[in-house]
């Protein structure tokens, strides 16, 4: 299975720097999953810098052979 990259939009529900992970109430992610609230592992804790609960974000999630991970997070204006 190859690694595929997807774009998501959602609202931050919680931050877990120790995971590191982020819980997002996200909309449909086309080709990957329907809308839901869930926690994603993030590739690096620095991705959580400047992000707060209730922020609206754009994010990138990669679905690889072993794990699904968020690789980029951008706060919406
Ligand atoms: Cu989900």
């Amino acid at each position: 299975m190859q690694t595929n990259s997807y774009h998501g939009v959602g609202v931050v529900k919680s931050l877990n720097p120790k995971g590191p992970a982020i819980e997002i109430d996200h909309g449909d992610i086309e080709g990957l999953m329907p809308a839901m609230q869930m926690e994603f592992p993030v590739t690096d804790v620095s991705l959580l810098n400047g992000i707060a609960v209730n922020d609206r974000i754009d994010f990138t999630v990669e679905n690889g052979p072993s794990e699904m991970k968020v690789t980029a997070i951008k706060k919406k204006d």
Side-chain angles (χ1 to χ4, degrees):
M1 180 182 167
Q2 69 183 81
T3 299
N4 288 309
S5 189
Y6 302 86
H7 171 246
V9 177
V11 175
V12 178
K13 305 308 285 187
S14 69
L15 299 165
N16 176 6
K18 286 185 178 172
I22 186 169
E23 188 178 3
I24 305 170
D25 186 355
H26 69 75
D28 285 349
I29 302 177
E30 196 175 337
L32 185 62
M33 64 175 81
M36 68 181 76
Q37 182 172 328
M38 63 180 285
E39 188 173 72
F40 293 93
V42 300
T43 49
D44 192 280
V45 68
S46 66
L47 292 179
L48 306 179
N49 290 347
I51 302 296
V53 170
N54 291 326
D55 281 352
R56 284 175 46 78
I57 57 169
D58 286 301
F59 62 99
T60 302
V61 56
E62 288 190 355
N63 190 12
S66 60
E67 199 174 25
M68 194 180 303
K69 280 199 167 192
V70 167
T71 60
I73 302 171
K74 185 171 181 288
K75 189 173 169 177
K76 278 187 173 293
D77 298 322

Coordinates of all heavy atoms in Angstrom, one line a residue:
M1 N 0.8 -1.2 0.0 CA 0.0 0.0 0.0 C 0.9 1.2 0.0 O 1.8 1.4 0.8 CB -0.9 0.0 1.3 CG -1.8 1.2 1.4 SD -2.7 1.0 2.9 CE -3.4 2.7 3.1
Q2 N 0.6 2.2 -0.9 CA 1.4 3.4 -1.0 C 0.8 4.4 0.0 O -0.2 4.3 0.5 CB 1.4 3.9 -2.4 CG 0.1 4.5 -2.8 CD 0.1 4.9 -4.3 OE1 0.0 4.1 -5.2 NE2 0.3 6.2 -4.5
T3 N 1.6 5.5 0.2 CA 1.2 6.6 1.0 C 0.4 7.6 0.2 O 0.9 8.1 -0.8 CB 2.4 7.2 1.7 OG1 3.1 6.3 2.5 CG2 2.0 8.4 2.6
N4 N -0.8 7.9 0.6 CA -1.6 8.9 -0.1 C -1.8 10.1 0.9 O -1.9 9.9 2.1 CB -2.9 8.3 -0.5 CG -2.8 7.4 -1.6 OD1 -2.2 7.7 -2.6 ND2 -3.4 6.2 -1.5
S5 N -1.9 11.3 0.3 CA -2.1 12.5 1.0 C -3.4 13.1 0.8 O -3.9 13.1 -0.4 CB -1.0 13.5 0.5 OG -0.9 14.6 1.4
Y6 N -4.1 13.6 1.8 CA -5.4 14.1 1.7 C -5.5 15.4 2.4 O -4.8 15.7 3.4 CB -6.4 13.1 2.4 CG -6.4 11.8 1.8 CD1 -5.5 10.8 2.3 CD2 -7.3 11.4 0.8 CE1 -5.5 9.5 1.7 CE2 -7.3 10.2 0.2 CZ -6.4 9.2 0.7 OH -6.4 8.0 0.2
H7 N -6.5 16.3 2.0 CA -6.7 17.6 2.6 C -7.9 17.5 3.5 O -9.0 17.0 3.0 CB -6.8 18.7 1.5 CG -7.3 20.0 2.1 ND1 -8.5 20.5 1.7 CD2 -6.7 20.8 2.9 CE1 -8.6 21.7 2.4 NE2 -7.5 21.9 3.1
G8 N -7.9 18.0 4.7 CA -9.0 18.1 5.6 C -9.2 19.5 6.1 O -8.3 20.3 6.2
V9 N -10.5 19.7 6.6 CA -10.9 20.9 7.2 C -11.6 20.6 8.5 O -12.4 19.7 8.5 CB -11.8 21.8 6.3 CG1 -12.2 23.1 7.0 CG2 -11.0 22.2 5.0
G10 N -11.3 21.3 9.6 CA -12.0 21.0 10.8 C -11.8 21.9 11.9 O -11.1 23.0 11.7
V11 N -12.3 21.6 13.1 CA -12.1 22.4 14.3 C -11.4 21.6 15.4 O -11.7 20.4 15.6 CB -13.5 22.8 14.9 CG1 -13.4 23.6 16.2 CG2 -14.3 23.7 13.9
V12 N -10.4 22.2 16.0 CA -9.5 21.5 17.0 C -10.3 21.3 18.2 O -11.0 22.2 18.8 CB -8.3 22.4 17.3 CG1 -7.4 21.7 18.3 CG2 -7.5 22.6 16.0
K13 N -10.3 20.1 18.7 CA -11.1 19.7 19.9 C -10.1 19.5 21.1 O -10.5 19.8 22.3 CB -11.9 18.5 19.7 CG -12.9 18.5 18.6 CD -13.8 19.8 18.6 CE -14.9 19.6 19.6 NZ -15.8 20.8 19.5
S14 N -8.9 19.0 20.9 CA -7.9 18.9 21.9 C -6.6 18.7 21.3 O -6.4 18.3 20.2 CB -8.3 17.8 22.9 OG -8.1 16.5 22.3
L15 N -5.5 19.1 22.2 CA -4.1 18.9 21.7 C -3.4 18.0 22.7 O -3.6 18.1 23.9 CB -3.5 20.3 21.7 CG -4.1 21.3 20.8 CD1 -3.6 22.7 21.2 CD2 -3.8 21.0 19.4
N16 N -2.6 17.1 22.2 CA -1.9 16.2 23.0 C -0.4 16.2 22.7 O 0.0 15.4 21.8 CB -2.5 14.8 22.9 CG -1.7 13.7 23.7 OD1 -0.8 14.0 24.4 ND2 -2.1 12.5 23.5
P17 N 0.3 17.1 23.2 CA 1.8 17.3 22.9 C 2.6 16.0 23.2 O 3.6 15.8 22.6 CB 2.3 18.4 23.8 CG 1.0 19.2 24.1 CD -0.1 18.1 24.2
K18 N 2.1 15.2 24.1 CA 2.8 14.0 24.5 C 2.7 12.9 23.4 O 3.5 11.9 23.4 CB 2.4 13.5 25.9 CG 3.0 14.3 27.0 CD 2.6 13.7 28.3 CE 3.2 14.6 29.5 NZ 2.8 14.2 30.8
G19 N 1.6 12.9 22.6 CA 1.4 11.9 21.6 C 2.6 11.8 20.6 O 3.2 10.7 20.6
P20 N 2.9 12.8 19.9 CA 2.0 14.0 19.8 C 0.8 13.7 18.9 O 0.9 12.9 18.0 CB 2.8 15.1 19.2 CG 3.8 14.3 18.3 CD 4.0 13.0 19.0
A21 N -0.4 14.3 19.3 CA -1.6 14.0 18.5 C -2.5 15.3 18.6 O -2.3 16.1 19.5 CB -2.3 12.8 19.1
I22 N -3.5 15.3 17.8 CA -4.5 16.3 17.8 C -5.9 15.7 17.5 O -6.0 14.8 16.7 CB -4.2 17.4 16.7 CG1 -5.1 18.6 16.8 CG2 -4.2 16.8 15.3 CD1 -4.6 19.8 15.9
E23 N -6.9 16.2 18.3 CA -8.2 15.7 18.1 C -9.0 16.8 17.3 O -8.9 17.9 17.6 CB -8.9 15.5 19.4 CG -10.3 14.8 19.3 CD -11.0 14.5 20.6 OE1 -10.4 14.9 21.7 OE2 -12.0 14.0 20.6
I24 N -9.6 16.3 16.2 CA -10.2 17.3 15.2 C -11.6 16.8 15.0 O -11.9 15.6 14.7 CB -9.4 17.3 13.9 CG1 -8.0 17.6 14.1 CG2 -10.1 18.3 12.9 CD1 -7.1 17.4 12.9
D25 N -12.6 17.8 15.0 CA -13.9 17.5 14.5 C -13.9 17.9 13.0 O -13.9 19.1 12.7 CB -14.9 18.4 15.3 CG -16.4 18.1 14.9 OD1 -16.6 17.3 13.9 OD2 -17.3 18.6 15.5
H26 N -13.7 16.9 12.1 CA -13.4 17.2 10.7 C -14.6 16.9 9.8 O -15.4 16.1 10.1 CB -12.2 16.5 10.2 CG -12.3 15.0 10.1 ND1 -13.0 14.4 9.1 CD2 -11.8 14.0 10.9 CE1 -12.9 13.1 9.3 NE2 -12.3 12.8 10.4
G27 N -14.6 17.7 8.7 CA -15.6 17.4 7.6 C -15.2 16.2 6.8 O -14.2 15.5 7.1
D28 N -16.0 15.9 5.8 CA -15.6 14.8 4.8 C -14.2 15.0 4.3 O -13.8 16.1 3.9 CB -16.6 14.9 3.6 CG -18.0 14.4 3.9 OD1 -18.2 13.8 5.0 OD2 -18.8 14.5 3.1
I29 N -13.5 13.9 4.3 CA -12.1 13.9 3.7 C -12.3 13.1 2.5 O -12.3 11.8 2.6 CB -11.0 13.4 4.6 CG1 -11.0 14.3 5.9 CG2 -9.7 13.5 3.9 CD1 -10.0 13.8 7.0
E30 N -12.4 13.7 1.3 CA -12.7 13.0 0.1 C -11.7 11.9 -0.2 O -10.5 12.1 -0.2 CB -12.7 14.0 -1.1 CG -13.5 13.4 -2.3 CD -13.6 14.4 -3.4 OE1 -13.5 15.6 -3.2 OE2 -13.7 14.0 -4.6
G31 N -12.2 10.7 -0.4 CA -11.4 9.5 -0.7 C -10.8 8.8 0.5 O -10.2 7.8 0.4
L32 N -11.1 9.4 1.7 CA -10.5 8.8 2.9 C -11.6 8.4 4.0 O -11.6 7.2 4.4 CB -9.5 9.7 3.5 CG -8.7 9.2 4.7 CD1 -7.9 8.0 4.3 CD2 -7.8 10.3 5.3
M33 N -12.4 9.4 4.4 CA -13.4 9.1 5.4 C -14.5 10.2 5.5 O -14.2 11.3 5.0 CB -12.7 8.9 6.8 CG -12.1 10.2 7.3 SD -11.4 10.1 8.9 CE -9.8 9.3 8.6
P34 N -15.6 9.8 6.0 CA -16.7 10.8 6.2 C -16.4 11.7 7.4 O -15.4 11.5 8.1 CB -17.9 10.0 6.5 CG -17.4 8.8 7.1 CD -16.0 8.5 6.5
A35 N -17.2 12.7 7.6 CA -17.0 13.6 8.7 C -17.2 12.9 10.0 O -18.0 12.0 10.2 CB -18.1 14.7 8.6
M36 N -16.3 13.3 11.0 CA -16.3 12.7 12.3 C -15.4 13.5 13.2 O -14.6 14.3 12.8 CB -15.9 11.2 12.3 CG -14.4 11.1 12.0 SD -13.8 9.3 11.9 CE -14.5 8.9 10.3
Q37 N -15.5 13.2 14.5 CA -14.5 13.7 15.5 C -13.6 12.6 15.9 O -14.0 11.5 16.3 CB -15.2 14.3 16.7 CG -14.2 14.9 17.7 CD -14.9 15.6 18.9 OE1 -16.0 16.2 18.7 NE2 -14.3 15.6 20.0
M38 N -12.3 12.8 15.8 CA -11.3 11.8 16.1 C -9.9 12.4 16.4 O -9.7 13.5 16.1 CB -11.2 10.8 14.9 CG -10.6 11.5 13.6 SD -10.5 10.4 12.2 CE -9.0 9.5 12.6
E39 N -9.1 11.5 16.9 CA -7.7 11.9 17.2 C -6.8 11.4 16.1 O -6.9 10.2 15.7 CB -7.2 11.4 18.6 CG -5.9 12.0 19.0 CD -5.5 11.6 20.4 OE1 -5.2 10.5 20.7 OE2 -5.6 12.5 21.3
F40 N -5.9 12.2 15.6 CA -4.8 11.9 14.7 C -3.5 12.0 15.3 O -3.2 13.0 15.9 CB -4.8 12.8 13.5 CG -6.0 12.8 12.6 CD1 -7.1 13.6 12.8 CD2 -6.1 11.9 11.5 CE1 -8.2 13.6 11.9 CE2 -7.2 11.9 10.6 CZ -8.2 12.7 10.8
P41 N -2.6 11.1 15.2 CA -1.1 11.3 15.5 C -0.6 12.4 14.5 O -1.1 12.5 13.4 CB -0.5 10.0 15.2 CG -1.5 9.0 14.9 CD -2.8 9.7 14.6
V42 N 0.3 13.2 15.0 CA 1.0 14.2 14.2 C 2.5 13.8 14.0 O 3.0 13.2 15.0 CB 0.8 15.6 14.7 CG1 -0.6 16.0 14.8 CG2 1.5 15.8 16.0
T43 N 3.1 14.2 12.9 CA 4.5 13.7 12.7 C 5.5 14.4 13.6 O 6.5 13.8 13.9 CB 4.9 14.0 11.2 OG1 4.6 15.4 10.9 CG2 4.2 13.1 10.3
D44 N 5.2 15.6 14.0 CA 6.1 16.3 14.9 C 5.3 17.3 15.8 O 4.4 17.9 15.4 CB 7.1 17.1 14.1 CG 8.3 17.6 15.0 OD1 8.1 18.7 15.7 OD2 9.3 17.0 15.0
V45 N 5.7 17.3 17.1 CA 5.0 18.2 18.1 C 5.0 19.6 17.7 O 4.1 20.4 18.0 CB 5.6 18.0 19.5 CG1 7.0 18.5 19.6 CG2 4.7 18.6 20.6
S46 N 6.0 20.1 16.9 CA 6.0 21.5 16.5 C 4.8 21.9 15.6 O 4.5 23.0 15.5 CB 7.3 21.8 15.7 OG 7.4 21.1 14.5
L47 N 4.2 20.9 15.0 CA 3.0 21.2 14.2 C 1.9 21.8 15.1 O 1.0 22.4 14.6 CB 2.4 19.9 13.5 CG 3.3 19.3 12.4 CD1 2.6 18.0 11.9 CD2 3.5 20.3 11.3
L48 N 1.9 21.6 16.4 CA 0.9 22.0 17.3 C 1.2 23.5 17.8 O 0.3 24.1 18.4 CB 0.8 21.1 18.5 CG 0.5 19.6 18.2 CD1 0.5 18.8 19.5 CD2 -0.7 19.4 17.4
N49 N 2.3 24.0 17.4 CA 2.7 25.4 17.8 C 1.7 26.4 17.2 O 1.5 26.4 16.0 CB 4.1 25.7 17.3 CG 5.2 25.0 18.1 OD1 4.9 24.4 19.1 ND2 6.4 25.0 17.6
G50 N 1.2 27.3 18.1 CA 0.3 28.3 17.6 C -1.1 27.8 17.3 O -2.0 28.6 16.8
I51 N -1.4 26.6 17.6 CA -2.8 26.0 17.4 C -3.5 25.9 18.8 O -2.8 25.4 19.7 CB -2.7 24.6 16.7 CG1 -1.9 24.7 15.4 CG2 -4.0 24.0 16.5 CD1 -2.6 25.5 14.3
A52 N -4.7 26.3 18.8 CA -5.5 26.2 20.1 C -6.8 25.5 19.9 O -7.3 25.4 18.7 CB -5.7 27.6 20.6
V53 N -7.4 25.0 21.0 CA -8.7 24.4 20.9 C -9.7 25.4 20.4 O -9.6 26.6 20.7 CB -9.1 23.9 22.3 CG1 -10.6 23.5 22.4 CG2 -8.2 22.8 22.8
N54 N -10.6 24.9 19.5 CA -11.6 25.7 18.8 C -11.1 26.5 17.6 O -11.9 27.1 16.9 CB -12.4 26.7 19.8 CG -13.2 25.9 20.8 OD1 -13.8 24.9 20.5 ND2 -13.3 26.5 22.0
D55 N -9.8 26.4 17.3 CA -9.3 27.0 16.0 C -9.9 26.2 14.9 O -10.0 24.9 14.9 CB -7.8 26.9 16.0 CG -7.1 28.0 16.8 OD1 -7.8 28.9 17.3 OD2 -5.9 27.9 16.9
R56 N -10.2 26.9 13.8 CA -10.6 26.2 12.5 C -9.3 26.0 11.8 O -8.5 27.0 11.6 CB -11.5 27.1 11.7 CG -13.0 27.0 12.2 CD -13.9 27.9 11.5 NE -13.8 27.8 10.1 CZ -14.3 26.8 9.3 NH1 -14.9 25.8 9.8 NH2 -14.1 26.9 8.0
I57 N -9.1 24.8 11.2 CA -7.8 24.5 10.6 C -8.0 23.8 9.2 O -9.0 23.2 9.0 CB -6.9 23.6 11.5 CG1 -7.6 22.3 11.8 CG2 -6.4 24.4 12.7 CD1 -6.7 21.3 12.5
D58 N -7.0 24.0 8.4 CA -6.8 23.1 7.2 C -5.7 22.2 7.6 O -4.7 22.6 8.3 CB -6.3 23.9 6.0 CG -7.4 24.8 5.4 OD1 -8.4 24.2 4.9 OD2 -7.2 26.0 5.3
F59 N -5.8 21.0 7.3 CA -4.7 20.0 7.6 C -4.5 19.0 6.5 O -5.4 18.8 5.6 CB -5.0 19.3 8.9 CG -6.2 18.5 9.0 CD1 -6.1 17.1 8.8 CD2 -7.4 19.0 9.2 CE1 -7.3 16.3 8.8 CE2 -8.6 18.2 9.2 CZ -8.5 16.9 9.0
T60 N -3.3 18.4 6.5 CA -2.9 17.4 5.6 C -2.8 16.1 6.3 O -2.1 16.1 7.4 CB -1.6 17.7 4.8 OG1 -1.8 19.0 4.2 CG2 -1.3 16.6 3.8
V61 N -3.4 15.0 5.9 CA -3.2 13.7 6.5 C -2.7 12.7 5.5 O -3.1 12.7 4.3 CB -4.6 13.2 7.1 CG1 -5.7 13.2 6.2 CG2 -4.4 11.9 7.8
E62 N -1.7 12.0 5.9 CA -1.1 11.0 5.0 C -1.5 9.6 5.6 O -1.4 9.3 6.8 CB 0.4 11.1 5.0 CG 0.8 12.3 4.2 CD 2.3 12.3 3.9 OE1 3.1 11.4 4.4 OE2 2.8 13.2 3.2
N63 N -2.0 8.8 4.7 CA -2.5 7.4 5.0 C -1.5 6.4 4.5 O -1.5 6.1 3.3 CB -3.9 7.2 4.4 CG -4.5 6.0 4.9 OD1 -4.0 5.3 5.9 ND2 -5.6 5.6 4.3
G64 N -0.5 6.0 5.3 CA 0.5 5.1 4.9 C 0.2 3.7 5.2 O -0.8 3.3 5.7
P65 N 1.2 2.8 5.0 CA 1.0 1.4 5.2 C 0.7 1.0 6.6 O -0.1 0.1 6.8 CB 2.4 0.8 4.8 CG 3.0 1.8 4.0 CD 2.5 3.1 4.4
S66 N 1.2 1.7 7.6 CA 1.1 1.3 9.0 C 0.2 2.3 9.8 O -0.4 1.9 10.8 CB 2.4 1.1 9.7 OG 3.1 2.3 9.7
E67 N 0.2 3.5 9.4 CA -0.4 4.5 10.2 C -0.9 5.7 9.4 O -0.3 6.1 8.4 CB 0.6 5.0 11.3 CG 0.0 5.7 12.4 CD 1.0 6.0 13.5 OE1 2.2 6.1 13.2 OE2 0.7 6.1 14.7
M68 N -2.0 6.3 9.9 CA -2.5 7.6 9.4 C -1.9 8.7 10.3 O -2.0 8.7 11.5 CB -4.0 7.5 9.5 CG -4.7 8.6 8.7 SD -6.5 8.4 8.9 CE -6.7 6.7 8.3
K69 N -1.3 9.7 9.6 CA -0.7 10.8 10.4 C -1.0 12.1 9.8 O -1.0 12.3 8.5 CB 0.9 10.6 10.5 CG 1.3 9.6 11.5 CD 2.8 9.8 11.8 CE 3.2 9.1 13.1 NZ 4.4 9.4 13.6
V70 N -1.1 13.1 10.6 CA -1.3 14.5 10.2 C 0.2 15.1 10.0 O 1.0 15.0 10.9 CB -2.1 15.4 11.2 CG1 -1.9 16.9 10.8 CG2 -3.5 15.0 11.1
T71 N 0.4 15.6 8.8 CA 1.8 16.1 8.4 C 1.8 17.6 8.3 O 2.9 18.1 8.2 CB 2.2 15.5 7.1 OG1 1.3 15.8 6.1 CG2 2.3 13.9 7.2
A72 N 0.7 18.3 8.3 CA 0.7 19.7 8.2 C -0.6 20.3 8.8 O -1.7 19.6 8.6 CB 0.9 20.2 6.7
I73 N -0.5 21.4 9.4 CA -1.7 22.1 10.0 C -1.6 23.6 9.8 O -0.5 24.2 10.0 CB -1.8 21.8 11.6 CG1 -1.8 20.4 11.9 CG2 -3.0 22.6 12.1 CD1 -1.7 20.1 13.4
K74 N -2.6 24.2 9.3 CA -2.6 25.6 9.1 C -3.9 26.2 9.6 O -5.0 25.8 9.3 CB -2.5 25.9 7.5 CG -2.4 27.4 7.2 CD -2.1 27.6 5.7 CE -1.9 29.0 5.4 NZ -3.2 29.8 5.4
K75 N -3.8 27.2 10.5 CA -4.9 27.9 11.1 C -5.6 28.7 10.0 O -5.0 29.4 9.2 CB -4.4 28.8 12.2 CG -5.5 29.3 13.1 CD -4.9 30.1 14.2 CE -6.0 30.9 15.0 NZ -5.4 31.5 16.2
K76 N -7.0 28.6 10.0 CA -7.7 29.4 9.1 C -7.9 30.8 9.6 O -8.0 31.0 10.8 CB -9.1 28.8 8.9 CG -9.2 27.7 7.9 CD -10.6 27.3 7.6 CE -10.8 26.3 6.5 NZ -10.4 26.8 5.2
D77 N -7.9 31.8 8.7 CA -8.0 33.2 9.2 C -9.4 33.5 9.6 O -10.4 32.9 9.1 CB -7.6 34.2 8.1 CG -6.2 34.0 7.7 OD1 -5.4 33.8 8.6 OD2 -5.9 34.0 6.5
Ligands
LIG1 CU1 -11.9 10.8 10.8

